[in-house]
Amino acid sequence: MILSPPGPGRGRPRPASLAALAVLAGLSLLHAVAGPASSPGAAVAAKPAETRRSEIVAPGLEHIEIRRGDFGVGLGPDRWTIHVLVADPARVRLVLGRARDRVVGTETTSSMARRLGALAGVNGGYFRTEGPYKGEPGGIVIAAGRVLSEPSRRRPGLAVSNRGGRTRIAVVDVDLRAEVAAGKAAKRRIDGFNRPRLDDELILFTPEFGGTTMTGPNGAEAVLEKGRVTAVQDGRGDAAIPRGGAVLSGHGAAAAWLRDRLPRGTRAEVRTDIRLSPKPGFSPEFVLGGGPRLLAAGRAPVSDPGVYGPGFAEARHPRTAAGVRADGRLLLVTVDGRQPERSVGMTIVELAALLGELGAVEAINMDGGGSTTMVIRGEVANGPSDLTGERPVGDALLLVRR
């Protein structure tokens, strides 16, 4: 199962400083309702009181904890525990942490943060939660110019660059086209990257996936090194992936094409065409899939082309989001949920409103539910909703010193 995200909402920037320790009332943009929220267009109810506690994690990085609503009773339908990281893009970098430094596999956000020396961070994109391919991304992943996972369900991604002494981010839609060319005439579309192959599909496995393809025997696989086919395995599966090379794995019609067009010794070229929309004003170091888009130019989008599961947007769930303010400062946000004694979670509309309130002009929802985690100084700062505690995930968005 690959988890899904919430739906867009409307918010307005709140220019006031987020640094002070304060008790504030009347700042909520959220509609108070129990359990799954009612109509997104419903009128805003009475504005609950809130407290904010702020700390400096490191120069250029602030953590704010917001407790909003009535915590005076044991259980309540309208209470939220929110954690916000506000980062100066000239003093910290935003980097992608991959579980165990591979495409497949899981690791807790706190473990990745400690291993990579991060100041703080949050969980990242959607991922496969079970089976031998557990941890496989459920959306686009591009790192260092290499496609590690294709877009999924028309969902957007977070594009990030740390070049030029300043971190920049943008929410983008990704159009990816990939093919393998053998000689002048033989070409075939590549259907996916580093994932299980389906009927008649051609999948490209890269070294980032791991040591072998972990495929079954019902297909054919061509090993590529230095632009040539160095081996073809038919009816065996689980081909070794060479460092610096790749493996094309085909099933059905794709396997027949491999046998016919890619014998050993054939020159073969993998071609990718990546188009980002809107085109960011920088060359991304990585793109990580999420969705839906929460804010564009400070407003909630009219619609999102992404496909999400039933109840994903309308029900209140734990949420994770990333955004950028007009002044360029980065926002990483978690909202705890599924814990009526401390936090009920948010709908996508409510999450978009919160990001607007925090001053974001662009924002995207990331994986949520039991995956929602914020880590500061190597320790979990929020309250993950799984009964077992912090959930191992496929990747993380981590803030490190510049």
Side-chain angles (χ1 to χ4, degrees):
M1 169 182 170
I2 291 175
L3 304 179
S4 284
R10 183 176 302 274
R12 56 180 171 81
R14 189 179 65 86
S17 167
L18 297 177
L21 173 64
V23 178
L24 305 172
L27 292 178
S28 174
L29 298 178
L30 306 179
H31 177 55
V33 286
S38 59
S39 148
V44 175
K47 300 171 183 177
E50 68 174 40
T51 62
R52 298 194 177 202
R53 183 175 62 85
S54 173
E55 63 169 330
I56 300 302
V57 178
L61 180 59
E62 180 185 15
H63 167 231
I64 304 151
E65 180 183 3
I66 303 171
R67 287 165 57 88
R68 176 172 291 175
D70 181 7
F71 286 79
V73 294
L75 301 175
D78 298 308
R79 59 181 66 172
W80 297 270
T81 300
I82 302 160
H83 290 268
V84 183
L85 291 168
V86 184
D88 181 343
R91 307 192 75 168
V92 299
R93 296 183 297 122
L94 182 61
V95 302
L96 175 63
R98 282 294 314 165
R100 307 183 188 283
D101 290 330
R102 295 172 52 186
V103 173
V104 170
T106 58
E107 183 180 359
T108 62
T109 303
S110 60
S111 174
M112 282 185 269
R114 289 190 294 268
R115 181 165 56 80
L116 297 175
L119 298 167
V122 296
N123 64 289
Y126 304 106
F127 64 98
R128 186 181 297 270
T129 58
E130 56 188 19
Y133 286 75
K134 183 177 180 179
E136 171 221 334
I140 185 71
V141 179
I142 303 171
R146 293 169 61 87
V147 179
L148 304 183
S149 176
E150 75 271 19
S152 175
R153 302 182 183 182
R154 303 175 66 195
R155 296 175 180 177
L158 180 69
V160 179
S161 171
N162 293 295
R163 299 184 181 96
R166 187 176 183 85
T167 299
R168 291 179 289 175
I169 70 172
V171 181
V172 296
D173 294 311
V174 183
D175 180 29
L176 171 66
R177 299 178 186 182
E179 67 178 12
V180 57
K184 294 183 179 179
K187 297 179 183 178
R188 187 176 179 91
R189 183 186 71 220
I190 295 173
D191 298 292
F193 291 75
N194 297 314
R195 65 164 174 81
R197 63 189 183 210
L198 303 178
D199 290 348
D200 297 319
E201 281 192 330
L202 183 64
I203 304 298
L204 182 73
F205 288 90
T206 68
E208 292 87 351
F209 179 79
T212 71
T213 61
M214 300 197 302
T215 53
N218 298 323
E221 297 186 316
V223 180
L224 308 181
E225 294 184 81
K226 297 181 179 179
R228 286 191 182 275
V229 178
T230 58
V232 177
Q233 295 186 181
D234 192 2
R236 291 167 54 189
D238 201 30
I241 305 171
R243 299 178 68 179
V247 173
L248 284 164
S249 181
H251 175 273
W257 186 88
L258 286 179
R259 297 185 195 104
D260 182 50
R261 298 302 183 97
L262 290 183
R264 182 176 177 180
T266 303
R267 294 198 65 83
E269 179 186 6
V270 173
R271 301 169 180 169
T272 56
D273 180 20
I274 304 166
R275 301 185 184 186
L276 306 181
S277 176
K279 189 174 182 179
F282 56 86
S283 178
E285 293 176 38
F286 70 88
V287 180
L288 178 63
R293 179 182 273 105
L294 298 173
L295 295 171
R299 291 181 172 273
V302 174
S303 63
D304 185 291
V307 178
Y308 307 99
F312 171 77
E314 298 80 10
R316 284 175 166 169
H317 297 292
R319 306 287 186 181
T320 301
V324 60
R325 299 192 331 197
D327 62 5
R329 290 183 182 269
L330 312 176
L331 297 171
L332 296 179
V333 178
T334 62
V335 180
D336 290 340
R338 301 175 183 165
Q339 303 170 75
E341 74 283 1
R342 65 186 308 273
S343 191
V344 296
M346 288 186 178
T347 68
I348 286 299
V349 168
E350 291 172 334
L351 184 65
L354 172 66
L355 268 292
E357 177 189 336
L358 294 171
V361 292
E362 278 196 77
I364 185 173
N365 177 72
M366 304 304 293
D367 189 17
S371 299
T372 288
T373 307
M374 179 177 287
V375 173
I376 299 173
R377 302 185 188 95
E379 301 296 330
V380 176
N382 73 313
S385 64
D386 282 0
L387 294 177
T388 53
E390 184 184 5
R391 174 185 293 180
V393 296
D395 47 50
L397 292 168
L398 303 175
L399 294 165
V400 300
R401 285 187 174 87
R402 183 171 287 283

